[in-house]
Amino acid sequence: MSYVIITGASRGIGKALSYEYAKQGFDLILTCEKNIKILIQNANDIKEKYNKKVYAIKGNINREYLNEIVNSKEDIYMLINNASKANYNLLQDVTKDEYDDIINSNLTTVFENTKAVLPRLIHQKKGIILNITSIWGLIGASNEVIYSMTKGGVIAFTKALSKEIFESNIECFAIALGSVKTDMIKNYETKNTITIEEAASFISHTTRNHNYKTGEIVEYKIEI
């Protein structure tokens, strides 16, 4: 059996992806930062609907725990670094605590989860690392300077890591989404947003059909 690991899976895109990949026949390892009760409820629902193994973890992936639950006859098909947090404020009004929180949620989690999973992928000599980023990491957004900075960091991380692991037969790419109608933007008026379902469908279609090159930043947006 093969596992898909999805971070930030308690709600939004991560939750939608969990159901999508379970429906495709994958076992799941799901993580979240805070909403562990909701994540466990989602995991139990997926188990009942699709009869798949589903593990719910609070926090980042631990390498030792990962090796305990994924046995030698199983492999990891893909790690999806999806966990993310937004901050809407003028740069001059962003506090150090807010800055640290966004950096930890959007960059440190990508580093820690990838580092934990990578040895297993290298041992398998196959696998995919997918980083969910944003078009704001490409073009920047007013009132979202720190968010844009972290998403740009994910893009650079993706391009650099793809070169580092290329010879291990591991693919690494990113999908830069446009404005997605999630809880992160529920208090803001936006137009031409992508729905959670549209985003999850696009991500699933892209990975299933390998519509990317390793190191590529695949954009999915509508005119804004």
Side-chain angles (χ1 to χ4, degrees), residues 163-221:
K163 295 177 172 65
E164 188 170 299
I165 61 179
F166 177 77
E167 292 186 357
S168 296
N169 198 38
I170 302 167
E171 300 171 4
C172 179
F173 76 107
I175 292 180
L177 297 172
S179 181
V180 183
K181 196 171 185 179
T182 66
D183 287 346
M184 286 199 299
I185 65 168
K186 65 182 179 180
N187 296 323
Y188 300 87
E189 289 189 12
T190 56
K191 61 181 180 178
N192 298 331
T193 55
I194 303 164
T195 68
I196 290 169
E197 293 75 19
E198 288 170 334
S201 177
F202 178 81
I203 292 165
S204 173
H205 178 81
T206 301
T207 58
R208 187 171 63 249
N209 294 284
H210 287 260
N211 292 338
Y212 60 87
K213 297 177 182 178
T214 190
E216 185 178 4
I217 312 302
V218 180
E219 294 184 52
Y220 177 50
K221 62 182 181 179

Side-chain angles (χ1 to χ4, degrees), residues 85-99 102 140-149 184 188:
K85 188 175 290 186
N87 176 274
Y88 300 90
N89 215 339
L90 294 171
L91 179 64
Q92 65 194 27
D93 295 327
V94 176
T95 68
K96 182 59 165 56
D97 285 345
E98 289 173 330
Y99 171 84
I102 298 298
S142 175
N143 285 45
E144 295 183 80
V145 173
I146 306 305
Y147 178 79
S148 299
M149 179 181 75
M184 286 199 299
Y188 300 87

Side-chain angles (χ1 to χ4, degrees), residues 26-38:
F26 290 99
D27 294 321
L28 302 174
I29 300 171
L30 310 176
T31 80
C32 71
E33 182 181 359
K34 294 179 179 178
N35 301 315
I36 188 62
K37 289 183 179 180
I38 296 174

